[in-house]
Amino acid sequence: MSDWKAKRFWKDTTVEACDNGFRVLLDGRPVKTPAKTSFAVPTRALAEKIATEWQAQEDEVRPDTMPFTRMANSAIDKVTPQHSAVAEMLAEYGGTDLICYRADGPQELIDLQAQAWDPLLAWAKDALNATLTPVEGVMFASQPKDSLARLEAQVKALEPFQLAAFHDLVALSGSLIIAFALIHAHDTADNLWDMSRIDETWQISQWGEDEENEQMVGVKRQSFMDAAAFYALL
């Protein structure tokens, strides 16, 4: 959608059931994806949220203000035809998960990471049947192959629309476990986002933050929240 320069041509935006879910209509004409594929989503709730994005457009269609539409397009045009490849790529995060790589100092940061991330690893062991081992420093350390295989199987079990949202949750947090914790409702999106930012937040507490970086982090946070909301609407 980033290449679009479309003008608004419709007055009314509606939602109706169709053979493969629910679709959005603009003056009675169904929305298409950028690849000209039929646009349909699994739930009415998601379709209605997407319809509000279309209805909110003014003279020019602005895809950057339509995160739910863009994620649905990605699910249809990108994830569906290459589901296994996307799932395998995301599952690889388990081998280098953010919450497994711990600082070797100072003690304050070591304690902050342990307080937030140790309970997540314990939850993953129980809920996902996956034991991952924390290590000090940034040097790669392999994780148990059976744990990684079970995580991969659970990623592959996600439906295309779920996987599209899951992709953003993993990529933005840097953690497969944080993304799983969110979709399993283990904790709130706000808390899990903060857990993914422990290192950066500690650095800011020591040295301060520049305005440009703050804005960039704000954009990433909103994208994480949008992905969480998208998943919930499924």
Side-chain angles (χ1 to χ4, degrees):
M1 291 183 68
S2 60
D3 295 331
W4 284 14
K5 292 294 183 182
K7 301 291 185 179
R8 176 163 179 161
F9 59 83
W10 66 94
K11 292 183 179 180
D12 298 317
T13 309
T14 55
V15 170
E16 71 173 15
C18 60
D19 290 342
N20 51 344
F22 298 86
R23 61 183 182 177
V24 177
L25 306 176
L26 307 178
D27 288 344
R29 294 192 291 181
V31 168
K32 297 284 188 180
T33 72
K36 307 303 180 185
T37 306
S38 175
F39 184 96
V41 299
T43 66
R44 181 177 289 276
L46 179 56
E48 289 176 347
K49 177 66 176 179
I50 290 169
T52 65
E53 291 184 334
W54 284 92
Q55 191 61 26
Q57 299 304 301
E58 297 180 352
D59 292 337
E60 185 176 288
V61 177
R62 294 183 53 206
D64 61 308
T65 66
M66 305 170 75
F68 291 80
T69 304
R70 290 188 287 113
M71 208 171 302
N73 283 334
S74 178
I76 297 166
D77 286 346
K78 297 179 180 179
V79 176
T80 296
Q82 50 184 349
H83 183 280
S84 292
V86 174
E88 288 170 5
M89 179 270 292
L90 293 175
E92 289 178 358
Y93 275 80
T96 56
D97 201 285
L98 168 76
I99 68 173
C100 290
Y101 285 82
R102 308 297 180 86
D104 53 10
Q107 191 61 47
E108 180 184 1
L109 179 56
I110 293 172
D111 292 342
L112 287 171
Q113 291 175 339
Q115 289 166 12
W117 295 346
D118 285 357
L120 275 179
L121 289 177
W123 172 83
K125 180 179 180 180
D126 292 338
L128 306 177
N129 194 23
T131 299
L132 299 180
T133 304
V135 295
E136 284 189 2
V138 296
M139 295 298 292
F140 174 76
S142 59
Q143 297 290 344
K145 291 183 178 179
D146 56 343
S147 292
L148 297 180
R150 284 191 285 270
L151 289 172
E152 181 175 345
Q154 291 173 76
V155 177
K156 287 185 172 181
L158 297 173
E159 298 294 334
F161 279 83
Q162 295 175 323
L163 193 59
F166 192 75
H167 172 278
D168 286 4
L169 295 172
V170 174
L172 290 164
S173 69
S175 171
L176 192 64
I177 302 305
I178 283 176
F180 269 125
L182 193 147
I183 69 171
H184 283 276
H186 173 66
D187 208 333
T188 66
D190 284 316
N191 286 343
L192 290 166
W193 174 254
D194 288 344
M195 290 181 196
S196 77
R197 296 283 304 168
I198 285 176
D199 291 359
E200 291 83 356
T201 301
W202 185 83
Q203 291 290 342
I204 290 167
S205 73
Q206 303 301 304
W207 310 106
E209 182 173 37
D210 63 76
E211 184 176 346
E212 183 177 352
N213 185 65
E214 185 177 2
Q215 291 176 348
M216 180 181 67
V217 171
V219 170
K220 289 182 177 180
R221 182 185 186 280
Q222 186 58 54
S223 295
F224 186 87
M225 297 302 159
D226 289 340
F230 185 98
Y231 193 96
L233 290 172
L234 296 170

